[in-house]
Amino acid sequence: MTTQAVELFRSVPRYLTARAVGDRLPGLLSGPLAPMRFVNRKDVVPLGPGWGRIRPLLSGICGSDLSTIGGKSSFYFSPLVSLPFVPGHEVVGELLDDVDDLPQGTRIALEPVLSCLARGLDPCPNCAAGLTGRCDRVTTGHVSAGLQTGYCADTGGGWSKMFVAHRSQLHPVPDELSERRAVLLEPLSCAVHTALRARIQPNANVVVIGAGTVGILTLLALKELTKAGHIAVVAKHAKQREWAGAFGASEIVDPKEATNAVRRATGAMKLKPERGAPFLLGGADVAIDCVGSRSSLNLALRITRAGGRVVVSGIPTEGADLTPLWFRELELVGAYTGGYETVGTGTSKAKRHSFEIATQLAQENPIDQIVGATYPLRRWREAIDHALGAGKLGTLKVAFDPRLD
């Protein structure tokens, strides 16, 4: 039996060409430069006890997917994936098999990390602590290399009509949660992790750089889970500014005005070097980079006060100037994916999974319209093209609906 899927395959010439010209000619990334194809792929089968088949209902297109297609992702990832693979790690789906305590037909949201349990291994120290995003064994065990579902040849991924997953990856979705909310549980879980990794102090001045899906969900998590004071959101496009306002940003600024806005809000001093962008003496307590570009990380480093914290939650590209990191003794913190989080203080301190927290936030907040467009798998070129231009087009999240013809 075969399954329809969008597959990414190894093509060094296409990768290097996309890396060279993709920013200037983005239309080529969904056309002849794309190392992708629509295929009838041999059905993947459960890989052992605790595994089952999943029928995707919706599967999001993530910034990391676009980075991979566009040749922007670092070669650091090359030993952490296995090709060819089917992308798609933001998934709400339906179980096609009984999997341990979950019966066939259960709607699930996917936690994509392929950790020790999924690989049939005894837990590494990070997995034992519930920090599966830090698993040290994502290339070993009986599953081929893959830091996540959607980057692993053996499992398939959400950009298909069927893939397989392990029970450790499956979170039941409450009946009252719509598919458009449920497909956001994985990025919202990451936003929860980011907000808590930022260790926001009461009344802290915080800047969120980027107002796509990651930035808006991070803003939501900051508002709900921290006692931040002033939260400025750096938003490039008009619709993104509307979303930032709707979710309670204290201030919304254009990237070109961000440094001046932080200077006004914090009373910092602005300095202009002979070459390069201006920077502040003083500035925000915490800056969260939800984009991962050279310019966004440079901005984060230049507007954060001495001893402050810069959190990188958007997949980073190369080339940022790290001089402020050294000179201002900044803390540079990565925020990759969720897991068990410590929430609360004192006697109310407890461990909760980021997916549990994300599910609660999704139930309580109007996030349905974040998914602005859905496409069938056959129209993958249009979907990728839309996702690449989503900000300009007023869309936050583009997703596949594999049920559509």
Side-chain angles (χ1 to χ4, degrees):
M1 298 290 289
T2 60
T3 298
Q4 292 181 339
V6 179
E7 183 181 78
L8 189 144
F9 60 94
R10 186 183 303 279
S11 174
V12 174
R14 292 192 188 195
Y15 178 88
L16 293 177
T17 307
R19 192 178 182 93
V21 304
D23 284 338
R24 286 175 284 134
L25 300 168
L28 296 177
L29 299 180
S30 56
L33 290 188
M36 302 184 69
R37 57 199 173 199
F38 182 72
V39 297
N40 286 306
R41 206 169 189 261
K42 185 178 178 181
D43 281 351
V44 288
V45 297
L47 302 175
W51 286 80
R53 297 171 300 157
I54 311 293
R55 180 171 73 100
L57 304 174
L58 287 177
S59 184
I61 300 174
C62 177
S64 59
D65 300 320
L66 298 177
S67 292
T68 301
I69 295 167
K72 293 182 180 180
S73 58
S74 169
F75 285 106
Y76 176 94
F77 289 111
S78 58
L80 300 172
V81 303
S82 49
L83 291 164
F85 63 74
V86 176
H89 59 274
E90 301 176 352
V91 184
V92 56
E94 179 184 7
L95 273 176
L96 297 177
D97 304 296
D98 296 335
V99 179
D100 295 347
D101 58 316
L102 298 180
Q104 177 186 350
T106 301
R107 276 198 317 160
I108 59 88
L110 179 72
E111 182 180 352
V113 174
L114 291 163
S115 63
C116 290
L117 282 177
R119 295 177 172 280
L121 303 171
D122 292 333
C124 68
N126 286 319
C127 286
L131 301 171
T132 52
R134 301 180 189 177
C135 178
D136 290 323
R137 297 172 181 164
V138 293
T139 62
T140 59
H142 69 276
V143 182
S144 60
L147 68 166
Q148 294 186 351
T149 300
Y151 297 94
C152 176
D154 287 350
T155 62
W159 297 4
S160 69
K161 291 184 178 289
M162 190 269 286
F163 68 97
V164 296
H166 186 261
R167 175 65 183 90
S168 61
Q169 300 177 277
L170 306 179
H171 295 268
V173 174
D175 291 340
E176 63 271 20
L177 211 61
S178 71
E179 290 171 5
R180 289 190 176 232
R181 293 195 188 201
V183 76
L184 295 171
L185 288 179
E186 192 277 337
L188 184 50
S189 170
C190 294
V192 166
H193 181 63
T194 296
L196 297 175
R197 283 279 285 162
R199 301 198 302 276
I200 306 293
Q201 297 301 307
N203 299 314
N205 186 294
V206 181
V207 180
V208 176
I209 301 171
T213 301
V214 174
I216 294 302
L217 294 179
T218 299
L219 171 62
L220 170 62
L222 289 170
K223 295 289 290 185
E224 295 284 348
L225 302 175
T226 77
K227 296 180 179 179
H230 186 275
I231 304 178
V233 174
V234 181
K236 188 175 182 180
H237 302 289
K239 194 65 176 180
Q240 294 175 343
R241 290 191 283 271
E242 290 180 20
W243 277 100
F247 280 90
S250 309
E251 185 178 10
I252 305 160
V253 299
D254 185 89
K256 295 177 182 177
E257 295 299 318
T259 302
N260 287 335
V262 176
R263 179 187 59 79
R264 289 192 298 268
T266 63
M269 179 186 297
K270 178 181 172 183
L271 298 178
K272 180 69 171 74
E274 291 182 6
R275 297 184 63 184
F279 64 91
L280 300 179
L281 296 181
D285 297 304
V286 178
I288 302 176
D289 178 9
C290 296
V291 179
S293 68
R294 178 188 304 182
S295 60
S296 62
L297 184 52
N298 274 331
L299 176 61
L301 292 168
R302 288 169 182 249
I303 62 173
T304 304
R305 65 167 175 80
R309 187 172 301 113
V310 173
V311 182
V312 179
S313 67
I315 184 171
T317 55
E318 58 191 22
D321 180 1
L322 298 182
T323 304
L325 178 71
W326 166 77
F327 177 57
R328 306 303 284 164
E329 296 193 345
L330 303 176
E331 296 181 20
L332 186 61
V333 176
Y336 162 48
T337 187
Y340 277 93
E341 313 285 351
T342 300
V343 294
T345 58
T347 57
S348 63
K349 186 181 292 187
K351 289 278 190 181
R352 294 181 67 193
H353 200 283
S354 55
F355 260 82
E356 176 191 348
I357 301 170
T359 300
Q360 180 180 337
L361 295 183
Q363 290 174 304
E364 296 172 351
N365 291 277
I367 62 173
D368 305 71
Q369 298 307 311
I370 286 178
V371 180
T374 59
Y375 289 85
L377 295 171
R378 287 187 181 276
R379 292 171 58 195
W380 68 268
R381 294 186 188 276
E382 294 174 64
I384 297 299
D385 193 52
H386 191 161
L388 285 166
K392 294 178 181 178
L393 297 171
T395 307
L396 287 184
K397 175 64 66 177
V398 179
F400 286 108
D401 185 339
R403 298 165 295 183
L404 299 175
D405 292 327

